[in-house]
Amino acid sequence: GDVAVLVPAAGAGVRLGAGAPKALRPLAGAPLLVHAVRRVALAPSVRCVVVAAPPAEVDAVRALLAPVAPVTVVAGGAERQQSVAAALAAVPAGIPIVLVHDAARALTPPALVEAVAAAVRGGADAVIPVLPVIDTIKEVDAAGTVLGTVDRAALRAVQTPQGFRRTVLAAAHAAATDPLTDDAGLVEKAGGAVLCVPGSELALKITRPLDLLIAEALLAAEGG
Ligand code: C5P
């Protein structure tokens, strides 16, 4: 394997157990983070997974993930970007490709991880999985009056994992001034080229109640 996957899961308020937001919300009895780590670790190219956890939860997250896959857990920072940087700093030398993955995309197929990694291996500096935008998109003002219709053909919805040559991600983070939640956006700002590859509907971001129902149905279909 020549790939490390970083999972920033150090958002404020993240707690194990009841009332858990985002990364630790349960899906079919296991936190989203557990599902996400299990799937990325199944991708043959992945040598190393690094999770950034809230500083007070590092030991608990380590215990949670130990039975799932070999994982390094580090303390995250105050901003997501600092959590990504902390995880990046924990990647062993000699791993040239780094992916950043959102734990909420818990059912991302290992094949998508491989496709993103392959595009980086093929020479791209930065790679994002994307889907076409299905809905018609309108630009509106504060009163809800339509200002115009956006050309949907030129739009893409962006998923994770986002992939990078390690040196490119490290340089983009070093050059970053304003915090961004999108690592490929840092590369864009630094003047780098970002390549799109086809995403997967299975990589949906599981945040709303409807997403949880869909995810449960997908898991049930897999098991049956
Ligand atoms: O809060 P937000 O939607 O920006 O969080 C996106 C992801 O970044 C979440 O998985 C969250 O846990 C992570 N994060 C982090 N460190 C922070 C803030 C957010 O790893 N300081």
Side-chain angles (χ1 to χ4, degrees), residues 96-140:
I97 299 173
V98 175
L99 274 47
V100 183
H101 189 41
D102 189 343
R105 298 187 188 275
L107 300 187
T108 298
L112 183 59
V113 175
E114 288 299 312
V116 170
V120 178
R121 206 175 285 124
D125 281 346
V127 176
I128 57 175
V130 302
L131 290 178
V133 174
I134 296 159
D135 296 310
T136 296
I137 305 287
K138 301 283 187 190
E139 191 184 354
V140 301

Side-chain angles (χ1 to χ4, degrees), residues 7-12 14 22-23 52-53 76-84 102-104 181 205:
V7 184
V14 174
K22 290 199 161 180
E79 302 279 350
R80 180 189 173 281
Q81 197 173 306
Q82 291 167 307
S83 298
V84 173
D102 189 343
T181 58
K205 191 171 189 175

Side-chain angles (χ1 to χ4, degrees), residues 100-210:
V100 183
H101 189 41
D102 189 343
R105 298 187 188 275
L107 300 187
T108 298
L112 183 59
V113 175
E114 288 299 312
V116 170
V120 178
R121 206 175 285 124
D125 281 346
V127 176
I128 57 175
V130 302
L131 290 178
V133 174
I134 296 159
D135 296 310
T136 296
I137 305 287
K138 301 283 187 190
E139 191 184 354
V140 301
D141 67 14
T145 303
V146 171
L147 300 174
T149 303
V150 180
D151 177 16
R152 187 171 61 187
L155 299 179
R156 299 292 182 272
V158 180
Q159 304 181 317
T160 73
Q162 302 192 349
F164 306 90
R165 275 201 294 124
R166 181 189 190 150
T167 49
V168 169
L169 183 62
H173 270 264
T177 45
D178 321 308
L180 264 178
T181 58
D182 168 44
D183 299 284
L186 292 180
V187 173
E188 285 165 48
K189 278 196 155 186
V194 180
L195 180 71
C196 295
V197 298
S200 166
E201 295 204 49
L202 299 175
L204 77 160
K205 191 171 189 175
I206 303 167
T207 49
R208 297 158 302 183
L210 178 63

